[in-house]
Amino acid sequence: MHMVSFQAAQNIERVVNHEGVEKSMLTEYFEANRLHEDARSILYRDFPEWYTWQKRIVSAHPAEGERYYLRVLLNHVTGATSYEDLRTVNGEILPTFREAAERRGLIEGDNTLDESLTESTLYEMPSSLRWLFATILSMGKEIESFPLPDIQEEYDTSIGVTREIFEESTIELNVEDTYLSDSLNSDQRAAYDEIMSAIDRDEGGVFFVDGPGGTGKTFLYRALLAMVRGQKKIAIATATSSVAASIMPGGRTQIINSSLRRSYLWDSMRHLKLVRNMRAHSDPWFAEYLLRIGDGKEVTNRDGEVRLPDEICVSRTGKDTDLDTLIDNTFPSLDANTSGPDYITSRAILSTRNDSVDRINLKMISRFQGDEMVYHSFDCAVDDPHNYYPPEFLNTLTPNGLPPHVLKLKINCPVILLRNIDPANGLCNGTRLVVRGFQRNVIDAEIVLGQHAGKRIFLPRIPLCPSDDEMFPFQFKRKQFPIRLSFAMTVNKAQGQTIPNVSIYLPEPVFSHGQLYVALSRSTARKNVKILAVPDAGNKKRNSNDSKKKSSTCSKNESCDYLVGTYTKNIVYKEILTS
Ligand SMILES: Nc1ncnc2c1ncn2[C@@H]1O[C@H](COP(=O)(O)OP(=O)(O)OP(=O)(O)O)[C@@H](O)[C@H]1O
């Protein structure tokens, strides 16, 4: 496996005996690993960043067989000191680079889906196996390729009702929810009575319940669903996003393409408004503050920024360690709590952008106790026979909504689902899970929040494409487990969820409508919210110039505490609230 190039006219013997001919970039890399401890943590492809390299690293085409698999290994394994070392996995020397790459999970085996079923049969319940099998089929595997008995229809057409009515009328009533109507607040009560009386009078009608996050919309819907189903009537729960549907009993997803407000139905709807933040009802000052933030009515300074309550701001030194302080505040005594049932699900750090979220998640998984399991994705560019987009390039991409190429997990770590796999069973984009076990081709996870909490599921790797297919000049496909770590997540992903201990990391200000409100309103009280808001670079400069002026320069609308405290942008488009 050592190539030497030479001119056709050259004497072969002289070429072979030429001084240094036995050396290649790769043999020198092995040598550096032998000699220098520092080198052993560096991947072959990253070597030129640390050592002087006088040639370009060449790429390899999958059709080149062993040379290609050697290249795959070099892209993922550090510290190798010889070819044999590269072929060694868990102490066993494998005959080929291909087998070594497959054993390390770096290339896709021919039968990974079948293997994921086999692995699960060792310790899985029949219902979970059925679910895993259905998921595998929905990812494109033909049912005929399995030796199965004839399919028997469970639904009996002779009963005389359509399947949809049969299914809806067999949704189990959530008994606990039947008591919710006793504790509605006055806004919720007014909405509940108006809707229920239209149902009782058999009148029909369309109602639009409007209210910022945390004002108890879901609570109201659950009370209504329980009452209607308790009367043996049919109530179909739908929502525009699956995660919203999954927090309602028997919820289904309904994609609404055009805005309701532009619909001809809008004028005939009865509009019911909820305003009191119920999530934070134990902290009335904070509930009022949230209302002003949500409505864009909180007093701003001359840069249009709102002041954050002092007690939620973590102290800032301007150094990288500030983020560690936020992490320590959010996950105190982590080691003692890794396996506790509520600890890990009741806290999260929210940020606006994926790169910040990824950074925090990587910090957290290395702090988390336990053995690490690393799953590599299998990436390809569809229809790329000339290998213009080699896997080592594709591996570096992590478009929005896709899992990373290198997915590092530990037992009991929290993850979030990135696709709607089975919304009716609570598995949708945004569902939070905790990892309970792993095999090479399946991950055992437990749903930890919402009405399906406690359900165990087995996730296979599935092929995923970016939702925005214009993102790259080629069609990108990544086969990976459809999850990301969720110690941290984006504010958008957290919408609709209650996170009792929430921290917010804003290395730059929020950039979209209502984002600050959504982030702050995830928790139940001021004392459970922490925020690290780095001042906007432009404003910071202005602020420091202003600090030389007297505070009498504050205008009527401004807080004159302008020069103390932490300020940040709150983006609220009035036209969205008033249209
Ligand atoms: N009347 C009530 N009594 C007690 N708790 C309530 C009441 N209404 C709502 N809550 C609680 O307040 C929290 C927020 O309520 P809910 O999730 O229904 O709000 P939401 O408007 O649907 O929020 P989001 O828009 O963020 O999804 C929940 O923990 C809920 O149990």
Side-chain angles (χ1 to χ4, degrees):
M1 188 54 73
H2 181 52
M3 280 204 279
V4 178
S5 53
F6 56 95
Q7 304 281 341
Q10 273 181 286
N11 177 318
I12 295 287
E13 210 161 307
R14 282 180 62 187
V15 170
V16 172
N17 292 325
H18 190 265
E19 195 191 331
V21 74
E22 75 287 2
K23 292 184 185 172
S24 69
M25 287 199 295
L26 185 51
T27 59
E28 291 306 284
Y29 165 79
F30 289 148
E31 185 65 9
N33 279 336
R34 265 192 292 269
L35 298 177
H36 311 294
E37 200 177 326
D38 292 355
R40 289 175 212 151
S41 60
I42 305 170
L43 282 174
Y44 179 63
R45 64 156 188 245
D46 299 331
F47 229 62
E49 284 179 34
W50 308 88
Y51 289 81
T52 313
W53 219 244
Q54 274 154 15
K55 294 179 194 163
R56 187 176 66 86
I57 293 183
V58 288
S59 71
H61 190 281
E64 292 176 72
E66 279 296 273
R67 186 163 174 271
Y68 172 76
Y69 299 116
L70 167 65
R71 180 83 195 157
V72 170
L73 285 166
L74 287 169
N75 277 328
H76 293 91
V77 179
T78 54
T81 53
S82 65
Y83 290 112
E84 191 177 88
D85 204 11
L86 272 174
R87 282 190 279 110
T88 307
V89 184
N90 297 332
E92 187 184 346
I93 303 172
L94 294 160
T96 61
F97 295 124
R98 185 185 194 291
E99 280 162 88
E102 194 178 327
R103 187 71 68 87
R104 284 180 181 273
L106 301 175
I107 55 166
E108 194 176 2
D110 296 333
N111 52 353
T112 44
L113 286 177
D114 294 350
E115 272 179 23
S116 65
L117 271 173
T118 315
E119 285 168 9
S120 306
T121 51
L122 294 176
Y123 56 101
E124 201 25 40
M125 298 295 286
S127 60
S128 305
L129 278 177
R130 280 199 297 274
W131 183 85
L132 177 64
F133 183 54
T135 308
I136 289 172
L137 292 179
S138 71
M139 297 308 151
K141 187 107 176 168
E142 294 292 328
I143 195 163
E144 288 79 17
S145 65
F146 295 93
L148 292 172
D150 289 341
I151 297 171
Q152 287 177 5
E153 264 282 10
E154 251 181 45
Y155 168 67
D156 178 3
T157 42
S158 65
I159 57 175
V161 284
T162 56
R163 180 193 289 262
E164 285 73 18
I165 292 181
F166 171 77
E167 281 176 1
E168 291 299 334
S169 53
T170 50
I171 290 177
E172 257 177 60
L173 177 67
N174 191 333
V175 182
E176 276 172 32
D177 286 3
T178 54
Y179 302 108
L180 295 184
S181 61
D182 298 335
S183 53
L184 299 174
N185 69 26
S186 54
D187 300 333
Q188 290 168 322
R189 166 64 53 196
Y192 177 89
D193 288 344
E194 191 165 342
I195 295 168
M196 278 315 300
S197 69
I199 295 170
D200 291 341
R201 291 199 304 268
D202 230 357
E203 261 179 8
V206 187
F207 302 88
F208 180 75
V209 180
D210 191 11
T215 49
K217 300 179 292 292
T218 311
F219 194 92
L220 169 65
Y221 302 149
R222 288 172 54 196
L224 286 165
L225 288 170
M227 176 51 91
V228 174
R229 286 177 184 155
Q231 295 176 353
K232 301 276 174 239
K233 292 176 181 156
I234 287 178
I236 302 175
T238 77
T240 49
S241 78
S242 305
V243 78
S246 79
I247 53 181
M248 285 190 288
R252 288 158 176 265
T253 316
Q254 179 72 51
I255 307 296
I256 299 180
N257 289 327
S258 59
S259 159
L260 259 184
R261 287 189 165 87
R262 273 184 265 131
S263 155
Y264 68 95
L265 289 171
W266 184 245
D267 289 336
S268 54
M269 283 181 192
R270 307 232 286 273
H271 297 204
L272 309 166
K273 207 156 171 56
L274 306 185
V275 291
R276 251 176 74 196
N277 188 304
M278 295 304 289
R279 202 168 271 138
H281 69 289
S282 61
D283 183 349
W285 182 90
F286 193 50
E288 285 296 314
Y289 174 79
L290 288 177
L291 207 56
R292 295 196 300 277
I293 292 284
D295 287 346
K297 290 184 178 156
E298 177 65 359
V299 173
T300 57
N301 65 18
R302 76 192 60 173
D303 294 314
E305 297 169 324
V306 293
R307 181 167 177 181
L308 295 165
D310 290 344
E311 55 275 54
I312 72 169
C313 298
V314 295
S315 54
R316 253 183 311 112
T317 62
K319 295 190 190 132
D320 282 351
T321 49
D322 287 350
L323 179 56
D324 294 305
T325 312
L326 185 75
I327 290 176
D328 293 338
N329 270 293
T330 321
F331 297 94
S333 316
L334 182 65
D335 288 351
N337 287 295
T338 42
S339 56
D342 300 329
Y343 176 88
I344 213 70
T345 53
S346 65
R347 53 200 75 231
I349 300 178
L350 309 183
S351 195
T352 46
R353 294 162 49 121
N354 273 321
D355 49 357
S356 306
V357 165
D358 292 343
R359 189 149 74 92
I360 299 169
N361 278 328
L362 282 180
K363 270 179 185 274
M364 283 304 301
I365 198 70
S366 63
R367 286 183 181 203
F368 206 69
Q369 273 186 338
D371 293 337
E372 188 172 86
M373 181 72 167
V374 181
Y375 292 104
H376 291 94
S377 68
F378 311 127
D379 298 345
C380 69
V382 179
D383 291 333
D384 178 28
H386 301 294
N387 203 31
Y388 291 136
Y389 305 103
E392 59 258 37
F393 161 67
L394 300 174
N395 295 164
T396 62
L397 306 174
T398 303
N400 209 356
L402 250 60
H405 167 59
V406 182
L407 181 65
K408 290 185 182 173
L409 302 174
K410 288 181 181 167
I411 299 287
N412 295 326
C413 75
V415 293
I416 193 162
L417 202 61
L418 298 172
R419 283 292 180 278
N420 292 326
I421 293 189
D422 183 2
N425 282 306
L427 288 170
C428 42
N429 192 345
T431 299
R432 288 171 73 193
L433 308 151
V434 162
V435 172
R436 296 293 186 213
F438 0 78
Q439 299 286 314
R440 249 163 65 91
N441 296 296
V442 274
I443 291 174
D444 172 7
E446 180 180 339
I447 302 181
V448 282
L449 291 169
Q451 50 147 339
H452 299 279
K455 259 191 203 167
R456 285 291 267 275
I457 51 128
F458 275 64
L459 288 169
R461 278 198 175 89
I462 61 174
L464 302 142
C465 294
S467 47
D468 176 4
D469 53 11
E470 309 268 282
M471 183 175 277
F472 302 119
F474 55 90
Q475 201 191 335
F476 179 43
K477 196 145 99 186
R478 167 162 293 169
K479 197 161 179 196
Q480 178 61 294
F481 297 95
I483 51 176
R484 267 172 189 257
L485 286 169
S486 67
F487 296 103
M489 61 183 114
T490 57
V491 176
N492 292 355
K493 272 265 177 292
Q495 197 144 8
Q497 306 193 21
T498 297
I499 305 172
N501 300 284
V502 71
S503 289
I504 304 158
Y505 176 52
L506 296 180
E508 66 274 317
V510 295
F511 53 79
S512 72
H513 170 78
Q515 231 174 3
L516 185 64
Y517 175 83
V518 170
L520 288 170
S521 65
R522 293 312 88 203
S523 182
T524 49
R526 212 174 344 168
K527 66 176 178 3
N528 301 327
V529 183
K530 289 282 168 276
I531 187 164
L532 174 61
V534 179
D536 191 20
N539 294 348
K540 198 163 45 176
K541 197 152 165 253
R542 263 197 309 281
N543 286 357
S544 74
N545 289 339
D546 284 352
S547 68
K548 294 177 191 125
K549 298 178 193 165
K550 292 202 183 94
S551 60
S552 59
T553 52
C554 294
S555 74
K556 201 170 81 195
N557 264 344
E558 286 172 357
S559 158
C560 285
D561 294 334
Y562 180 69
L563 301 171
V564 288
T566 306
Y567 286 77
T568 193
K569 278 250 167 341
N570 176 31
I571 299 180
V572 178
Y573 299 129
K574 298 281 188 240
E575 58 276 24
I576 292 186
L577 297 173
T578 51
S579 64

